[in-house]
Amino acid sequence: MRPQTLVNRALICSLFAAALCATVRAGDETPAWLRQAASAPSPTNLRNIPAVVLLTEQSVKIEEDGRAITTERYAVRILTAEGRDDAVAAVHYIKDAGKMREMRAWLIRPSKEIKRYGKDKIIEIAAAPNDVFDEGRVCLISGKDDAEPGAIFGAEWTTEARSVFTQFEWQFQERLPTLASRFTIALPAGWRADGITFNHAKIEPAVTGDTYLWELRDLAGIEDEPASPPVTTLAPREAVSYFPASGKGGLGRSFDKWVDVSRWLTELSDPQAGLDDALASKARQLTAGATTEMERIQAIGRYVQAVKYISIQTGVGRGGGYRPHAATDVFAKAYGDCKDKANLMRAMLKAINIPAHLVSIFSGDPSYVRAEWPSPQQFNHCIIAVRVSDDTQAPTVVKHPTLGRLLIFDPTDDNTPVGDLPEHEQGSLALIVAGDAGALLKMPVTPPEANRLERQADVDLQPDGSISVAVHERTIGQSAVSERAEYRRLSRPDYVKLIERWITRGATGASVSKVESSDASAEGRFALDVNFTAARYGQLMQGRLLVFKPAIVSRRESLFLTGSSRKHPVILPAHAYSETVKIKLPEGFAVDEMPDPAKLETSFGSYSTNYVVKDGQLYFTRTLVVQGSTIPVSDYAKVRTFFERVRAAEQSPVVLAKK
């Protein structure tokens, strides 16, 4: 599925600036709009801010035949060397639906020297670099190599397009402070436009005749805080739909209700889910040994996950970005993108009489999709909902008002098996694509116990403070997914180095002798066994006291909320952790001091520790359960205090004394 592209200038600049070294001409005049933007003073209360956006605007003119002529302008003042990454202009367009008319840029140095970047400095790339073929394109002009603190970079471009939709979305800023941001749409006589504002109080447009203007000024920067929501949840954005005059049909689609979106997507996808003998035979072969409904779904899910992800996007401007390729073709060629894989799974399930539906979702921000604006443009990903009986139990089953129980699954994420759902999709609003029965549903959120890490550490502590340790970890759910992703992504030497860095965070100077991993991905489980030694882990004081921390190995998901205040909510994913450390005490020593057990209980999480000495061994246990939740800024002190007390408990030492 093709997303509505939100181009991240800093990311694109970092990827492509090396390929762009502009030779520019001095002395060219800048346009009046850029001179006006450059005259605006920067806010005086900026700290650690690399750049300030002086102006970002999009102006759309809709012609009687439905063509959209769009002009965008962008101006930024560079404040630091790091801010040079923002001296880049990037525009997305779709080749089969439109064209780039013009693109220009300028750089105003602190000395007032002007440099101009013309069409010979434009780099054009695929909008999705991992696609084999994609009609979505991005044009870039970068001033990074010429920019310096105090410089102003500005760009202007014009595109022409004929969209399948009569809808636009404008994000007023990214993370930088923005002095002026506006979206304008000019319509033919008798047409109208409506807007819905997200992440901000409603913005009423300034209307002049048939022209609508939405504008915000003096937007503060959006600070990137630990565990904060994505910028798409924090930055103001306007969703605009426009409607032709009465009697003007065939000029693009708008949607009054979510069921309208479902009907349209169903029209595109249903014809693509047909079967042939080869595909049906493969589905029956895969499930021949399965004895339950869940086992049949799992067998097909594993097969589809293994289908290579390759995206070939054509006809995007005519809805092709939402239409999967025929399941028979995807099966024969053994590759496809997210909607192709979901559609293939749907067809294979149909072959064994299990109904399923495509699901449109936004991947990356569970809060992105809003119920108030029925639009397929809110989605950038496609997964599947499988209709299951009461016999199939999983934390990713939701109840649809007419379709019944639906098992939600992402066939594209090969790290997450059937019965689980990627964390960044949990809790999202997603559209079940089922014709008249289609509905926007909240995706499941798996409970902490479904995302659990269990650890056992056997420790041999010597009189000189050295230790020999065997660590055994077992993870399930999304806790296993994060482990599995690292294991699959890295080479064996790099994976071992990653484990060594983790071990030495808790045991300085540790020497790792064994790293063994076992990935039972079909069951959603991952196992890790590590052996290591560390000299002088415990501190021997005056020859008679031995001091050490029983929490030898750090937790993987530690959250450090060090700021005294907070601007944005804290996002806590659901997970659970338990550990038992069995420490063999050295001969001739006995426990002299032990920390008091800790017990913390809050609405969003609980934590406990305990210490027991038995038969010459110290047993240290700790458990942490975090509920999936969004903590408002008003409760920041509570969540910060909770994790501070957790860290303090894990730093508490045990003191042994020589007998």
Side-chain angles (χ1 to χ4, degrees):
M1 178 174 292
R2 304 304 305 146
Q4 181 198 8
T5 302
L6 299 174
V7 180
N8 185 305
R9 295 184 176 89
L11 175 61
I12 290 177
C13 191
S14 66
L15 292 174
F16 301 103
L20 184 64
C21 184
T23 303
V24 292
R25 300 190 298 270
D28 291 333
E29 285 296 320
T30 56
W33 69 264
L34 181 55
R35 293 196 298 273
Q36 181 179 357
S39 67
S42 294
T44 58
N45 58 343
L46 299 179
R47 186 178 62 179
N48 300 322
I49 300 296
V52 173
V53 174
L54 304 174
L55 173 68
T56 177
E57 71 171 344
Q58 184 178 86
S59 299
V60 182
K61 184 177 187 299
I62 305 298
E63 303 286 0
E64 287 279 357
D65 61 2
R67 285 178 302 130
I69 313 301
T70 302
T71 297
E72 294 191 53
R73 291 168 175 170
Y74 169 70
V76 61
R77 177 177 284 120
I78 310 305
L79 302 181
T80 69
E82 291 77 14
R84 295 182 302 170
D85 286 342
D86 294 290
V88 58
V91 56
H92 174 265
Y93 74 100
I94 299 171
K95 290 185 70 172
D96 80 324
K99 62 184 177 181
M100 170 71 72
R101 281 188 173 185
E102 183 181 34
M103 186 175 190
R104 301 178 297 163
W106 302 264
L107 185 77
I108 305 174
R109 291 188 179 277
S111 65
K112 305 306 180 184
E113 176 190 1
I114 300 169
K115 294 191 174 184
R116 180 180 183 276
Y117 305 79
K119 63 182 180 180
D120 56 325
K121 303 308 173 189
I122 298 174
I123 286 181
E124 184 172 306
I125 59 173
N130 60 337
D131 289 0
V132 172
F133 179 79
D134 188 348
E135 290 172 339
R137 312 299 290 173
V138 173
C139 287
L140 302 162
I141 290 183
S142 173
K144 175 180 178 179
D145 292 342
D146 301 308
E148 59 188 299
I152 292 172
F153 175 81
E156 180 179 51
W157 56 90
T158 300
T159 58
E160 176 183 327
R162 188 186 302 276
S163 175
V164 70
F165 306 117
T166 60
Q167 296 177 315
F168 290 92
E169 191 171 18
W170 176 248
Q171 184 169 301
F172 284 90
Q173 69 175 136
E174 292 179 12
R175 288 201 178 273
L176 293 177
T178 300
L179 301 190
S181 179
R182 50 184 171 260
F183 175 82
T184 303
I185 186 166
L187 300 171
W191 295 30
R192 66 179 178 87
D194 290 328
I196 300 174
T197 308
F198 303 134
N199 309 329
H200 191 278
K202 181 172 176 57
I203 305 169
E204 295 293 347
V207 182
T208 305
D210 297 297
T211 298
Y212 299 72
L213 165 66
W214 289 264
E215 182 175 27
L216 288 177
R217 288 183 171 272
D218 300 322
L219 295 169
I222 299 175
E223 187 174 342
D224 187 8
E225 298 174 316
S228 66
V231 70
T232 44
T233 292
L234 300 172
R237 49 192 172 99
E238 191 74 22
V240 176
S241 300
Y242 63 93
F243 305 90
S246 178
K248 291 287 258 184
L251 297 177
R253 287 180 175 267
S254 59
F255 304 92
D256 292 325
K257 303 179 296 295
W258 280 108
V259 69
D260 298 333
V261 182
S262 172
R263 291 182 185 121
W264 181 71
L265 291 173
T266 302
E267 290 171 6
L268 292 178
S269 59
D270 269 5
Q272 306 301 96
L275 297 168
D276 61 15
D277 290 342
L279 192 155
S281 176
K282 183 64 175 181
R284 290 190 290 268
Q285 175 194 336
L286 289 169
T287 57
T291 59
T292 67
E293 180 182 65
M294 186 63 160
E295 288 177 353
R296 292 191 287 274
I297 298 169
Q298 288 172 326
I300 289 178
R302 288 193 295 270
Y303 174 82
V304 175
Q305 282 181 317
V307 170
K308 188 173 180 61
Y309 182 93
I310 294 178
S311 180
I312 299 178
Q313 299 293 339
T314 60
V316 176
R318 300 182 299 277
Y322 297 88
R323 179 188 292 111
H325 292 91
T328 51
D329 291 342
V330 176
F331 173 70
K333 296 175 181 178
Y335 65 78
D337 66 7
C338 61
K339 62 185 178 295
D340 297 331
K341 287 161 72 82
N343 187 60
L344 172 61
M345 185 168 177
R346 180 188 180 202
M348 298 185 86
L349 289 169
K350 182 166 62 174
I352 59 170
N353 300 314
I354 297 179
H357 306 276
L358 301 186
V359 179
S360 293
I361 194 170
F362 188 91
S363 174
D365 180 358
S367 301
Y368 186 81
V369 175
R370 308 299 173 90
E372 311 94 289
W373 191 46
S375 172
Q377 294 189 93
Q378 292 202 70
F379 307 119
N380 67 354
H381 191 40
C382 184
I383 58 176
I384 193 169
V386 185
R387 293 169 68 177
V388 294
S389 66
D390 291 340
D391 294 335
T392 295
Q393 299 294 320
T396 53
V397 172
V398 297
K399 188 71 178 291
H400 185 281
T402 57
L403 300 176
R405 302 178 77 246
L406 300 176
L407 174 67
I408 308 298
F409 173 59
D410 187 343
T412 301
D413 186 340
D414 58 2
N415 290 317
T416 302
V418 171
D420 197 2
L421 191 65
E423 182 182 293
H424 57 267
E425 296 169 12
Q426 294 187 23
S428 300
L429 285 174
L431 179 67
I432 310 299
V433 179
D436 292 343
L440 198 67
L441 285 187
K442 194 174 187 66
M443 293 295 97
V445 176
T446 55
E449 58 270 20
N451 306 294
R452 188 171 68 254
L453 185 153
E454 296 177 348
R455 179 189 297 156
Q456 179 177 326
D458 297 313
V459 183
D460 188 356
L461 176 62
Q462 295 298 309
D464 63 356
S466 63
I467 55 173
S468 299
V469 184
V471 176
H472 311 283
E473 283 194 347
R474 303 296 181 261
T475 51
I476 65 170
Q478 288 302 291
S479 294
V481 165
S482 60
E483 300 295 314
R484 182 178 302 121
E486 291 177 340
Y487 177 68
R488 293 178 173 181
R489 176 178 59 88
L490 298 172
S491 66
R492 171 66 183 179
D494 287 341
Y495 181 72
V496 170
K497 288 179 182 176
L498 178 72
I499 298 302
E500 289 174 341
R501 287 195 297 270
W502 164 55
I503 293 294
T504 55
R505 283 203 302 269
T508 303
S511 175
V512 176
S513 58
K514 171 185 172 182
V515 176
E516 289 185 359
S517 301
S518 175
D519 183 10
S521 58
E523 293 82 36
R525 299 179 181 275
F526 189 88
L528 173 65
D529 297 306
V530 181
N531 290 357
F532 68 92
T533 59
R536 297 181 298 277
Y537 175 76
Q539 294 180 327
L540 187 60
M541 304 173 65
Q542 300 174 351
R544 59 178 299 274
L545 297 179
L546 185 57
V547 183
F548 66 95
K549 292 183 297 185
I552 299 171
V553 180
S554 63
R555 288 179 292 107
R556 300 294 187 94
E557 75 301 322
S558 297
L559 178 59
F560 296 98
L561 300 173
T562 57
S564 59
S565 61
R566 181 91 177 182
K567 294 182 178 179
H568 310 307
V570 178
I571 307 296
L572 297 179
H575 64 278
Y577 167 85
S578 65
E579 179 180 21
T580 298
V581 182
K582 185 172 64 177
I583 304 170
K584 181 182 177 183
L585 301 178
E587 289 290 338
F589 283 83
V591 173
D592 186 59
E593 294 182 23
M594 281 194 309
D596 293 329
K599 188 171 182 61
L600 308 175
E601 292 285 350
T602 70
S603 60
F604 52 81
S606 61
Y607 178 78
S608 66
T609 63
N610 194 35
Y611 304 83
V612 174
V613 178
K614 182 180 179 181
D615 299 330
Q617 299 191 100
L618 169 65
Y619 292 84
F620 165 65
T621 59
R622 53 177 168 167
T623 62
L624 173 69
V625 177
V626 176
Q627 305 294 333
S629 52
T630 298
I631 310 300
V633 173
S634 58
D635 288 340
Y636 171 60
K638 295 178 183 178
V639 70
R640 180 189 175 197
T641 299
F642 175 81
F643 285 104
E644 283 179 345
R645 293 178 66 184
V646 168
R647 286 195 298 275
E650 294 177 345
Q651 297 298 313
S652 299
V654 169
V655 179
L656 305 182
K658 241 180 189 179
K659 296 178 182 177

